[in-house]
Amino acid sequence: MMSLADRWRAIAATLANKGFTEQQGASPEFRGSINVHGRAVDIELVIPDSKFVELPIVRLVDRKQLPAGAFGHISRDDIEGSVVCFAPATGLPLDFHDPGGSVLRVLRQTELSLEKSFAGQGGAEVAAEYQEYWIEKEPNFRVLVSRDGTTERQSGLQYAVFKPATGSPFFAIADTISLHDHEATRLSGAVIFHLDAELGPTADRVVPNNFLSLEQWFRAQTTVVADRWRECERALLSGKFVCLAANNCTLGVRIELPANIAMAVRTKKLRSSKLQPLLAKQKTKLDIKRSGGYWTGLAEIAQRNLHGIKTLDGKAIALVGCGTLGSHLAKFLIQSGAGAGAPLTLIDGQVLSAGNIGRHYLGHSRIGERKASALAEELRSFHPQCDIRATVGDALAQKAVLADSDLLVDATGDWNTQYALNELFYEDDISAEAILHCWISGNGAAVQAFLNVRGDDCCFRCLRPSMDAGPRFPALKPGVEANMAPATCGDGNYIPYSVAAPAIAAGLACDMAIGWANDKPGARLRTIVLDHERGIERKPTSPSAHKTCPSCLSRDES
C-alpha cells in the first residue's frame, strides 16, 4: 500500500508533468491551466485529502477567460474566483491507489463540465442547478403545503420562523403556524406561484438584484411565467413572501423596505393602502432578498421516495399492535405518507418494559409509558404535520376506530388476536378495504405478511384451517420451533431475535400496503427468510380459500 508521502509525491509529479506549479497554502494547492475547446483556462487545484474522501477543489483564476453569458457548473464563493462543480450528482469515484491518475481524472472532468457551456449548453446547465445560483445569504425556507399545484394560490399561507421543542429554528411557508410542538413567529403572509415551466438566467443577467431587475428577469422568462408578473408584483408590494415553484427549482423572494418606509410602517404612520403605490414608484431603490426553498411537507417527503406511484397519503390506517414489529412499521408507514390527509391510529394496551427497548423503536426514556401513546408522541416529533392518534386498550373493543379505517394492519403476532381481527374484518359495519397481517416466525428465522383485500376468496384463517395441523404455508422447516427465553424477575417469557427481523417484517408489510394503495396488491402471501438453515424459501403466492376453513364456512352459513 502506498504511504501518505508516496501519494503526495505521485500527485505532485503528475501535476508538474502537466505544467502545474505548487503554491503555498494550508492544503496542497497547484496552479496551472486546462484546455477547454482549444482555449487555455487557468485554474487552482486544491487537494485537501490524498485519499480523496474530500474531493479536490477546482477554482477559476480569471472568470474573464470564459465567454460572457450563462455558464454552468460554476458556483460563486467568497474567495476571489469561481469554483467549478466538476463532480456529477452521483459522485466521482477516485482511486487513491492511483493518485496521479485520479487528479488527471479531476482535470478531465473539469474540462468536460466547462465544455458543455462552450457548446451552447450554458443556459441549460445553469437552469438545471439554478437554485444554487439564486440563493444568497438569506436562510433557506421549507414549504409545508402541497406541491400538486391544484390551487394556484392557496389562501391564508404564512411565512414564519418555527422553533421546535428540540432542534434548530427554521423558516417555512405553512397554511397554519400552529404546528405540533413548535413555537412560531409570523413574519408575513405568503403566496406560492406554481409555474409549469423552468426558471433560469436571461440574456443579460443570471439572477436579479433589485426590484426593477426582478421585473425584467421575470418578464424575460417563458410566456407562461411572464404573464404572472402583475400578480407577483402585487404580492411583493403588499409585503408578502413569494415562492416561485417551477419545474427545476423552488425560489423565494421578498422586498427589503427602505429604512424610512419600514419605520413608517412599524409606527403605523403609513397606511397599507398608501404603501403599494408608493413602493411602485421606487423600483430602482427596492432591494430584494433571494432564498431557496425545499418541499418538506409530510406528503411531499413520501412522494419524493415513491416517485411516480401513489403514497399512503389520504388513507385512514389503523395499526393494531405497537410492539417490536408495530413500532417500526408505524415509522415506515408515516414515511410512506400515512398520517397525511387521513389519520394513522395506533392501538395497543401494553406498557413499554425495560426488556422491550433492545429491539423496539422507542428507547430508554419511554420505559413505563403506554406503547400506543408514547409511539404516537415520538412519531409526531418526526414531522409536525403527522395526524397520529393513539388508542390505549384492547383493539377488539375499539370497533368504532376500526370501522372508519381504509386499511387495518395487524402487527400483533398473536394468533388469537389475528384470528379475531380476521373475523371482525367481515362484520357488516367495518368498511375497511383490506386487512394486512404481518408476523415473525421462529426466532427471527423468517417473516411473513398476508394481505386480504375485500372480495378475496382466501381469508387469514384459510392459512391454518385446523388447529390440530400446522399452517398451510409454513416459514419454518419441519421440527424447527421458536425457543422461549425463561422468565426472570420483573420480566416475562419472550422469544429472542435480533432487531433485524421486526425491521424486515415491517418493510415487507409497508411495501404490501403501498401496493394495495396503488391498486396493485400483487401476491397476497409473502415470505422473507433470514436464517436459511431454519427457514423455508417460498415464492410469493395468492392462496386459494380452504374448503374446511371454519371462518369461511361460518360466513357461508350466515
Side-chain angles (χ1 to χ4, degrees), residues 75-106:
S75 61
R76 293 161 290 117
D77 61 11
D78 57 356
I79 304 174
E80 184 179 353
S82 297
V83 173
V84 181
C85 304
F86 60 85
T90 53
L92 183 67
L94 298 174
D95 183 2
F96 66 79
H97 291 290
D98 179 18
S102 293
V103 294
L104 290 178
R105 187 176 186 195
V106 169

Side-chain angles (χ1 to χ4, degrees), residues 80-297:
E80 184 179 353
S82 297
V83 173
V84 181
C85 304
F86 60 85
T90 53
L92 183 67
L94 298 174
D95 183 2
F96 66 79
H97 291 290
D98 179 18
S102 293
V103 294
L104 290 178
R105 187 176 186 195
V106 169
L107 296 180
R108 182 55 185 151
Q109 192 65 38
T110 301
E111 291 173 341
L112 292 173
S113 296
L114 295 179
E115 283 173 356
K116 287 183 179 180
S117 291
F118 266 99
Q121 300 179 36
E125 293 294 319
V126 172
E129 53 193 28
Y130 192 57
Q131 191 156 324
E132 293 304 312
Y133 291 82
W134 184 270
I135 294 172
E136 52 179 1
K137 293 183 180 180
E138 284 286 285
N140 293 325
F141 64 96
R142 305 176 191 179
V143 188
L144 298 176
V145 293
S146 176
R147 192 177 188 171
D148 58 20
T150 52
T151 21
E152 285 296 306
R153 292 178 63 185
Q154 298 98 324
S155 60
L157 294 183
Q158 309 290 325
Y159 178 61
V161 57
F162 293 91
K163 184 179 180 181
T166 58
S168 302
F170 59 89
F171 293 84
I173 295 176
D175 54 10
T176 175
I177 58 173
S178 298
L179 297 182
H180 172 73
D181 216 14
H182 286 64
E183 293 181 10
T185 302
R186 181 185 182 278
L187 301 177
S188 71
V191 59
I192 299 175
F193 290 93
H194 295 277
L195 305 171
D196 188 16
E198 290 192 349
L199 296 175
T202 60
D204 59 345
R205 61 176 51 83
V206 176
V207 294
N209 293 310
N210 59 40
F211 193 86
L212 181 61
S213 65
L214 174 67
E215 178 179 357
Q216 294 167 342
W217 170 85
F218 204 106
R219 290 185 182 279
Q221 302 296 318
T222 61
T223 302
V224 70
V225 177
D227 288 346
R228 308 293 298 278
W229 169 249
R230 287 302 178 193
E231 292 177 85
C232 181
E233 181 182 47
R234 284 194 297 270
L236 287 167
L237 293 180
S238 65
K240 289 186 177 179
F241 181 90
V242 170
C243 172
L244 304 175
N247 294 337
N248 62 321
C249 55
T250 302
L251 312 179
V253 62
R254 63 183 180 87
I255 60 172
E256 183 85 345
L257 292 177
N260 61 327
I261 296 179
M263 177 62 73
V265 171
R266 283 197 299 271
T267 57
K268 299 183 179 180
K269 292 181 179 180
L270 181 62
R271 290 181 296 175
S272 57
S273 59
K274 301 291 185 181
L275 177 62
Q276 189 167 334
L278 176 63
L279 294 176
K281 297 176 182 179
Q282 302 190 38
K283 291 184 178 181
T284 57
K285 298 179 181 179
L286 290 178
D287 291 331
I288 62 172
K289 297 295 183 181
R290 304 187 310 267
S291 54
Y294 300 91
W295 296 82
T296 59

Side-chain angles (χ1 to χ4, degrees), residues 364-382:
H364 192 274
S365 63
R366 296 290 187 177
I367 292 173
E369 297 183 33
R370 296 286 182 178
K371 291 180 181 178
S373 54
L375 183 59
E377 186 65 24
E378 192 78 19
L379 291 176
R380 289 190 193 104
S381 68
F382 165 73

Side-chain angles (χ1 to χ4, degrees), residues 250-441:
T250 302
L251 312 179
V253 62
R254 63 183 180 87
I255 60 172
E256 183 85 345
L257 292 177
N260 61 327
I261 296 179
M263 177 62 73
V265 171
R266 283 197 299 271
T267 57
K268 299 183 179 180
K269 292 181 179 180
L270 181 62
R271 290 181 296 175
S272 57
S273 59
K274 301 291 185 181
L275 177 62
Q276 189 167 334
L278 176 63
L279 294 176
K281 297 176 182 179
Q282 302 190 38
K283 291 184 178 181
T284 57
K285 298 179 181 179
L286 290 178
D287 291 331
I288 62 172
K289 297 295 183 181
R290 304 187 310 267
S291 54
Y294 300 91
W295 296 82
T296 59
L298 183 58
E300 275 61 44
I301 289 173
Q303 191 61 68
R304 185 178 189 273
N305 293 326
L306 299 175
H307 184 66
I309 64 175
K310 295 178 183 177
T311 70
L312 299 177
D313 179 10
K315 299 293 186 182
I317 300 176
L319 172 62
V320 181
C322 297
T324 301
L325 196 168
S327 66
H328 293 283
L329 178 53
K331 175 77 178 327
F332 292 171
L333 294 174
I334 287 290
Q335 290 176 305
S336 302
L344 170 64
T345 303
L346 309 179
I347 307 172
D348 195 299
Q350 295 183 341
V351 170
L352 186 74
S353 72
N356 294 148
I357 64 173
R359 59 194 187 196
H360 201 279
Y361 178 70
L362 295 175
H364 192 274
S365 63
R366 296 290 187 177
I367 292 173
E369 297 183 33
R370 296 286 182 178
K371 291 180 181 178
S373 54
L375 183 59
E377 186 65 24
E378 192 78 19
L379 291 176
R380 289 190 193 104
S381 68
F382 165 73
H383 199 287
Q385 290 181 317
C386 290
D387 184 359
I388 309 176
R389 306 174 188 182
T391 298
V392 176
D394 179 8
L396 301 176
Q398 313 300 325
K399 195 170 181 180
V401 175
L402 300 176
D404 294 333
S405 300
D406 299 315
L407 175 67
L408 304 181
V409 182
D410 161 35
T412 63
D414 174 73
W415 165 260
N416 294 330
T417 305
Q418 291 171 317
Y419 181 25
L421 288 171
N422 177 75
E423 295 300 296
L424 188 146
F425 175 66
Y426 287 99
E427 294 192 10
D428 293 337
D429 51 357
I430 298 293
S431 60
E433 300 170 16
I435 183 169
L436 174 62
H437 305 267
C438 49
W439 63 96
I440 299 167
S441 294

Side-chain angles (χ1 to χ4, degrees), residues 42-63:
D42 295 329
I43 65 168
E44 291 175 341
L45 178 64
V46 180
I47 306 177
D49 176 15
S50 67
K51 286 191 174 182
F52 307 111
V53 174
E54 184 178 352
L55 286 179
I57 300 168
V58 178
R59 188 182 302 120
L60 298 176
V61 173
D62 184 1
R63 173 65 175 80

